[in-house]
């Protein structure tokens, strides 16, 4: 069952979710391009930087488990905005952190609330948008990733270069306040899931999710996709600067070009997935994504123009997989358990992010000249996980198809 929204209300609903997604995606993404700056500021290596990135993911995983015990008991809008407010405070704490240890703790707190928000956003899409338009809706919300790379990351890096690394976190805190106000105005109340029969105990919904074999297949699929991307993503900027020879001042250009391309491609991919079949479109994009997975991890010294081709293709295809994938994952859940399922999915994705980042941190290191070694091996690990996800996706059954598309069987 989905909520009924007018076309205008649906448009504002999705744009508001995209704005909220923009804030918390930017908070997570900014750590990667800030890598060289933070490593220099704190005198840390790839292992410590990987821990700084992974702390967000591991905290999000824990919060996802906790959220699964209560998230379907409450109205969606109130939970989302409450978590968003706490997320804004945690992000502000990141900007005020006096040292590495306190920044690590603050990143963990941001992950606690960011993890719940990410799960809730996709839960609300599943609750409010019919299956036939769900991939396009995911594409609209996923455009937040593109906008954060087009505008958010370059602006944040400009602020970091001129005002210090703390400035981007202050910017995100301000954006959080703005989008909370917008959310109070344009997000509808979603409470139809609360009309289902009452659960027997606090963990009954979690157990019901985990007893469903289809749910478990979808969760494993989700983990494989995230793992294949996040072995590479946290270190891509450090590798570009240290190994490829891209100037730190040119990193905003990399994100600007890549973000512009994904802003265009995200909407197209969502449309194609709804028209030609979510599984079929996912498979094709994921197969193509293996090329940039290998290219960016094996590149030597390159001019900026060639690196832009590699990195932009990486942005478009690696992130593009997630549009049909999230529609598949959200549609695999039983509607009455969607909030619990998506919270557990957030936990699984966050664990996959953290494990991928940590593993890549151990597989790589810095040589005497400051270059990263071991990154090609990370690329092979990413490709292996990607191939497993491609093989596994056909085993997931999606709810809400009327009639089922042949490509989605």
């Amino acid at each position: 069952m989905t909520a009924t929204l007018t076309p205008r209300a649906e448009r504002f609903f999705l744009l508001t979710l995209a704005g909220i997604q923009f804030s918390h995606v930017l908070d997570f993404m900014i750590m990667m391009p800030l890598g060289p700056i933070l490593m220099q500021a704190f005198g840390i290596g790839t292992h410590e930087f990987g821990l700084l990135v992974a702390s967000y993911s591991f905290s999000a995983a824990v919060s996802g488990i906790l959220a699964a015990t209560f998230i379907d008991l409450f109205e969606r809008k109130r939970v989302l905005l409450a978590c968003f407010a706490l997320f804004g405070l945690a992000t502000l704490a990141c900007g005020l952190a006096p040292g590495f240890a306190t920044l690590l703790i603050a990143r963990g707190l941001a992950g606690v609330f960011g993890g719940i928000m990410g799960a809730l956003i996709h839960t609300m899409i599943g609750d409010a948008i019919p299956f036939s338009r769900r991939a396009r809706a995911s594409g609209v919300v996923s455009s937040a990733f593109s906008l954060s790379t087009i505008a958010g990351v370059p602006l944040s890096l400009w602020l970091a270069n001129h005002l210090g690394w703390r400035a981007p976190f202050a910017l995100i805190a301000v954006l959080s306040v703005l989008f909370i106000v917008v959310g109070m105005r344009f997000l509808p109340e979603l409470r139809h899931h609360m009309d289902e029969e009452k659960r027997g105990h606090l963990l009954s919904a979690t157990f019901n999710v985990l007893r469903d074999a289809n749910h478990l297949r979808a969760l494993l699929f989700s983990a494989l996709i995230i793992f294949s991307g996040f072995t590479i993503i946290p270190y891509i900027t450090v590798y570009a600067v240290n190994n490829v020879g891209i100037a730190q001042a040119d990193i905003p250009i990399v994100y600007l070009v890549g973000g512009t391309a994904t802003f265009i491609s995200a909407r197209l991919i969502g449309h194609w997935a709804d028209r030609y079949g979510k599984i079929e479109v996912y498979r094709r994009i994921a197969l193509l994504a293996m090329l940039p997975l290998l290219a960016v991890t094996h590149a030597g010294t390159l001019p900026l123009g060639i690196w832009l081709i590699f990195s932009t293709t990486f942005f478009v295809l690696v992130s593009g997989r997630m549009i049909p994938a999230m529609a598949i994952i959200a549609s695999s859940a039983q509607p009455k358990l969607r909030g619990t399922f998506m919270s557990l999915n957030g936990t699984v994705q966050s664990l996959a992010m953290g494990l991928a980042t940590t593993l890549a941190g151990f597989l790589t290191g810095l040589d005497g000249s400051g270059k990263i070694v071991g990154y090609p091996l990370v690329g092979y690990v990413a490709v292996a996980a990607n191939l497993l996800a491609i093989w596994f996706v056909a085993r997931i059954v999606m709810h809400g198809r009327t009639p089922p598309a042949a490509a989605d069987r």
Side-chain angles (χ1 to χ4, degrees):
M1 178 180 179
T2 56
T4 301
L5 299 175
T6 65
R8 181 178 183 274
E10 182 177 308
R11 184 166 58 253
F12 281 115
F13 168 70
L14 292 175
L15 290 175
T16 302
L17 289 183
I20 295 172
Q21 184 87 325
F22 173 87
S23 301
H24 100 80
V25 166
L26 178 59
D27 177 73
F28 181 77
M29 281 188 60
I30 193 59
M31 291 300 295
M32 275 66 87
L34 282 178
I37 298 174
L38 291 173
M39 289 172 69
Q40 183 177 14
F42 294 116
I44 57 176
T46 57
H47 305 326
E48 293 83 2
F49 176 67
L51 182 60
L52 197 59
V53 175
S55 63
Y56 185 105
S57 301
F58 286 132
S59 296
V62 173
S63 71
I65 294 174
L66 295 176
T69 66
F70 66 80
I71 199 167
D72 281 326
L73 294 175
F74 300 98
E75 192 274 319
R76 308 287 196 209
K77 174 181 177 178
R78 294 182 182 181
V79 178
L80 178 62
L81 294 182
C83 289
F84 198 15
L86 293 169
F87 164 83
L89 290 173
T91 301
L92 181 60
C94 293
L96 299 176
F100 176 78
T102 48
L103 179 59
L104 188 67
I105 294 170
R107 292 305 298 158
L109 289 173
V112 167
F113 304 111
I116 298 175
M117 287 166 54
L120 265 173
I121 286 169
H122 288 285
T123 299
M124 292 172 75
I125 292 173
D127 283 347
I129 307 299
F131 178 84
S132 61
R133 299 198 303 276
R134 204 166 285 162
R136 273 173 284 185
S138 295
V140 172
V141 175
S142 295
S143 65
F145 169 82
S146 307
L147 287 173
S148 67
T149 54
I150 294 170
V153 171
L155 175 60
S156 296
L157 286 174
W158 184 87
L159 290 173
N161 289 331
H162 290 81
L163 301 177
W165 63 265
R166 303 176 190 276
F169 297 108
L171 170 66
I172 296 167
V174 172
L175 288 175
S176 299
V177 174
L178 173 63
F179 285 118
I180 286 173
V181 174
V182 174
M184 292 173 66
R185 170 66 178 86
F186 290 109
L187 290 180
E189 291 194 354
L190 298 173
R191 57 175 71 249
H192 68 272
H193 61 284
M194 298 169 63
D195 296 331
E196 304 292 339
E197 60 182 88
K198 301 300 180 184
R199 63 182 72 181
H201 54 82
L202 201 60
L203 294 175
S204 61
T206 302
F207 291 152
N208 287 338
V209 168
L210 296 178
R211 276 196 291 263
D212 188 312
N214 191 54
H215 289 165
L216 296 179
R217 289 192 292 269
L219 292 174
L220 178 57
F221 170 65
S222 181
L224 288 170
I225 299 172
I226 294 298
F227 188 90
S228 68
F230 274 85
T231 47
I232 294 173
I233 291 171
Y235 304 96
I236 193 170
T237 300
V238 180
Y239 186 80
V241 172
N242 292 17
N243 292 57
V244 181
I246 306 301
Q248 179 67 40
D250 289 332
I251 293 300
I253 299 175
V254 174
Y255 283 87
L256 178 63
V257 174
T260 301
T262 55
F263 181 75
I264 297 170
S265 64
R267 301 292 292 273
L268 292 174
I269 291 170
H271 175 74
W272 293 336
D274 283 334
R275 182 173 181 180
Y276 299 111
K278 297 168 180 61
I279 289 176
E280 181 64 24
V281 170
Y282 165 76
R283 280 174 168 163
R284 293 187 181 190
I285 294 174
L287 282 170
L288 290 173
M290 290 191 293
L291 296 175
L293 286 174
L294 292 173
V296 300
T297 54
H298 286 72
T301 303
L302 292 174
L304 177 61
I306 301 299
W307 179 251
L308 285 175
I309 295 173
F310 287 2
S311 61
T312 301
T313 307
F314 181 91
F315 277 124
V316 168
L317 296 177
V318 174
S319 67
R321 302 173 308 164
M322 292 304 298
I323 296 168
M326 285 309 300
I328 293 167
I329 292 164
S331 300
S332 72
Q334 298 178 33
K336 66 179 181 181
L337 296 171
R338 186 173 284 125
T340 302
F341 171 81
M342 293 305 291
S343 291
L344 291 174
N345 179 65
T347 292
V348 168
Q349 289 188 340
S350 296
L351 280 174
M353 287 182 196
L355 291 173
T357 302
T358 303
L359 174 62
F362 282 107
L363 292 178
T364 60
L366 298 176
D367 64 14
S369 63
K371 292 186 176 181
I372 291 182
V373 294
Y375 208 42
L377 178 58
V378 171
Y380 295 131
V381 172
V383 167
N386 188 56
L387 286 172
L388 282 173
I390 293 170
W391 172 78
F392 202 75
V393 66
R395 303 183 63 189
I396 299 171
V397 177
M398 291 180 285
H399 299 283
R401 292 178 298 162
T402 52
D408 283 337
R409 288 173 185 166

